Amino acid sequence: MASPAELAQQLKFRDPEKARALAAALQREVDAIGRDEITIMHVCGSHEQSIARFGIRAVLPRQISLIMGPGCPVCVTDAPEIDEGVALAKQGCRVLTYGDMLKVPGTVKSLGDAQADGGKVDIVYGVEQALEIARAHPDEEVVFFSSGFETTAVATAAAILRGLPKNLSVLSAHKYVPPAMEIVAGMPGSKVEAFLAAGHAAIITGCDCFRPMAQKYRMPIVVTGFEPLDVLAAILKTVEMIRHGEHDVANCYPRCVTGPGNLPAQKMLWQVFEPVGGQWRGIAVIPDGNLRLKAEFAAVDARRRFDIDVRSLWDYAPPKLAERCICGEIMAGFKSPKDCALFGKECLPESPVGACMVSSEGTCKIWHQYGGVPDLKEVG
Amino acid sequence: MCLGVPGKVLAIDGMNATVDFFGVKKELRLDVVDEPVSVGDYVLNHVGFAIRRIPPDEVGETLAMFDQILKDVAQDDLMAADVIGEMAAGKEKA
């Protein structure tokens, strides 16, 4: 086999000529549709990274509006969920979480603030590391603040099914994306008429699960990867489907994603979690959008194990700036970061006001990184 | 956090695998992978779990894609930084 470097040379995933050819094909499709505005939403931070970094919006026909929806688990974690983690740290638990979660603002404090206040808050890479830490501190109550979409929830589920150490419990902030796509698509005033679905999350769920939604909302849903040409090819496919009135699912990422997805992983996910309604930060209450541990796992569910006292945290007034944050409207597709008065001024990656400025998968952080507004003229 | 990084399985001990990610060795769990995995196979890693056994005919393309991403790290590329972060996190202890 050729070396990866040689293959990269041959494959030219970022080939500007191919990109231009795709953009030209796109223009032909859009002209054939003959409308002034076509709004496509994607729901993946990695897609936004590619779109912004490679200036994909700059090569799209002007009629296409490509927006990012609720595609970052860090961004959609709601403030009261953070408050629960902060309260547990304050109550003496050792709280473990993914690195990005540390800066996400709670109602008043972040987990990083809780750490600075002397709380035991540690960053972990995954649930396996949480197991190690719990074993290393047998005399402490250790809580894994477990966030992420279905892909990450599966890992937590697998660990729970194997059995956790007695002193380890899980505070689930896991979210399930497909119901959120439906809610955003159905919002009054929403212009979204097609979705690009996240390739790597679909490794677990497969792409067939999007079919009922595609039919109900009469829109194409195209699963794709995160390389610039993957994204462009998927947009072309989406626009072709819009032109032909196809309300179905297309898989533009067959090298990773199958129709049914990873069935053993789905079995574990639904063995441990059940979907419940919950607030996604700034967007809406999403029915079936949160993943809660089933009653049979109550013993390892931090919410049932502890009397989490979040009221003690709310003695302070919430920061004024947060009231002006429009992350929710950005994630629902109604606004862009440049519409936010705080963006790049009071709200920065070092001092985020809203959650979208925290994670490398958040729209605001990505736009900030690549010059604020992604208006690069060159692809490749 | 949602990018699965591909790596080559070097050794398997029950549900634990030692996997090489572009020269970085890590322990991965095999609980949730979609198909049986053998030494020499390539898998995608997500937060310490293999989530997919990459079909052999797709390995080259997948590796090439990540090889290209890793080259971008010098340009403050968020995706490259994410991949490096995912490789560095949970590295096998020396």
Side-chain angles (χ1 to χ4, degrees):
Chain A
M1 191 196 292
S3 75
E6 286 163 351
L7 280 163
Q9 233 5 71
Q10 293 163 21
L11 289 163
K12 291 189 179 171
F13 284 96
R14 300 170 181 198
D15 183 338
E17 262 177 53
K18 277 189 194 162
R20 270 188 281 273
L22 281 168
L26 254 173
Q27 188 64 61
R28 287 193 294 275
E29 288 295 321
V30 167
D31 290 344
I33 292 171
R35 276 197 280 122
D36 276 349
E37 209 178 341
I38 297 167
T39 303
I40 301 170
M41 176 176 273
H42 72 83
V43 285
C44 175
S46 302
H47 284 163
E48 186 58 36
Q49 287 177 354
S50 263
I51 291 162
R53 155 97 162 79
F54 293 97
I56 286 180
R57 288 188 181 91
V59 299
L60 292 179
R62 61 168 177 79
Q63 293 93 337
I64 294 183
S65 171
L66 180 60
I67 53 178
M68 174 161 166
C72 161
V74 176
C75 306
V76 298
T77 302
D78 201 23
E81 294 177 284
I82 299 290
D83 294 345
E84 289 180 304
V86 172
L88 284 176
K90 203 178 166 193
Q91 287 168 230
C93 294
R94 184 178 290 273
V95 177
L96 312 178
T97 190
Y98 292 100
D100 276 347
M101 298 305 298
L102 223 57
K103 278 190 186 171
V104 176
T107 305
V108 179
K109 295 200 169 197
S110 66
L111 284 163
D113 295 331
Q115 189 183 47
D117 290 347
K120 286 177 281 191
V121 179
D122 294 334
I123 291 175
V124 289
Y125 163 67
V127 67
E128 292 300 306
Q129 220 180 331
L131 293 171
E132 279 174 33
I133 291 174
R135 288 192 196 106
H137 300 275
D139 51 335
E140 292 181 1
E141 279 294 343
V142 180
V143 176
F144 180 43
F145 186 110
S146 186
S147 60
F149 293 140
E150 43 270 32
T151 325
T152 318
V154 165
T156 305
I160 288 174
L161 287 172
R162 269 186 3 249
L164 302 182
K166 278 203 174 64
N167 61 328
L168 179 62
S169 55
V170 170
L171 183 64
S172 170
H174 286 298
K175 310 274 182 206
Y176 187 57
V177 178
M181 290 164 63
E182 289 206 28
I183 292 299
V184 169
M187 279 181 169
S190 170
K191 292 179 177 173
V192 177
E193 53 189 300
F195 275 100
L196 302 184
H200 278 144
I203 289 176
I204 302 291
T205 59
C207 49
D208 294 347
C209 73
F210 296 112
R211 193 152 282 127
M213 181 189 164
Q215 283 156 4
K216 182 175 169 192
Y217 289 86
R218 303 180 58 76
M219 56 170 56
I221 299 179
V222 177
V223 177
T224 189
F226 47 83
E227 276 290 288
L229 289 183
D230 284 337
V231 176
L232 269 176
I235 296 169
L236 177 58
K237 178 70 188 170
T238 307
V239 174
E240 281 171 4
M241 288 171 81
I242 291 173
R243 182 183 166 195
H244 297 293
E246 289 175 39
H247 309 128
D248 202 356
V249 175
N251 184 1
C252 282
Y253 202 32
R255 68 177 177 269
C256 271
V257 176
T258 63
N262 180 338
L263 295 174
Q266 288 170 31
K267 196 175 157 206
M268 283 187 201
L269 180 68
W270 299 121
Q271 208 175 332
V272 172
F273 291 103
E274 59 191 353
V276 291
Q279 177 72 38
W280 286 38
R281 185 183 290 252
I283 303 176
V285 171
I286 310 286
D288 296 336
N290 284 11
L291 296 175
R292 172 173 76 184
L293 289 170
K294 283 185 174 172
E296 60 200 279
F297 300 100
V300 296
D301 186 344
R303 288 197 182 90
R304 302 188 213 219
R305 185 139 130 187
F306 302 102
D307 178 20
I308 306 179
D309 182 14
V310 291
R311 282 157 306 183
S312 67
L313 303 173
W314 298 343
D315 298 343
Y316 318 86
K320 282 283 175 210
L321 277 180
E323 292 168 11
R324 288 159 58 205
C325 171
I326 61 163
C327 279
E329 288 163 275
I330 293 170
M331 286 186 284
F334 295 110
K335 297 254 168 91
S336 87
K338 66 184 177 196
D339 298 323
C340 179
L342 304 174
F343 176 75
K345 299 183 185 91
E346 287 105 319
C347 186
L348 295 160
E350 312 80 72
S351 53
V353 176
C356 289
M357 189 58 96
V358 172
S359 164
S360 61
E361 291 167 17
T363 312
C364 295
K365 169 88 175 272
I366 295 168
W367 282 43
H368 189 266
Q369 173 86 357
Y370 296 116
V373 181
D375 58 356
L376 308 176
K377 295 296 176 210
E378 287 298 317
V379 175
Chain B
M1 148 186 202
C2 293
L3 281 168
V5 181
K8 185 180 189 176
V9 177
L10 301 177
I12 295 176
D13 175 13
M15 280 287 168
N16 292 304
T18 308
V19 181
D20 174 81
F21 296 95
F22 298 92
V24 177
K25 264 189 214 171
K26 282 173 66 159
E27 294 293 320
L28 276 202
R29 291 288 307 181
L30 299 176
D31 308 42
V32 304
V33 73
D34 54 346
E35 286 174 42
V37 169
S38 313
V39 169
D41 283 348
Y42 281 81
V43 291
L44 282 182
N45 162 34
H46 180 71
V47 294
F49 284 73
I51 54 168
R52 174 166 162 87
R53 174 184 172 271
I54 306 171
D57 57 338
E58 292 163 10
V59 166
E61 202 172 333
T62 308
L63 288 181
M65 203 165 73
F66 277 84
D67 196 61
Q68 181 64 51
I69 291 172
L70 288 169
K71 284 190 187 136
D72 291 332
V73 81
Q75 311 175 37
D76 287 337
D77 186 86
L78 289 174
M79 196 179 283
D82 281 352
V83 172
I84 296 276
E86 198 166 317
M87 280 162 55
K91 224 187 318 190
E92 192 187 44
K93 288 162 204 89

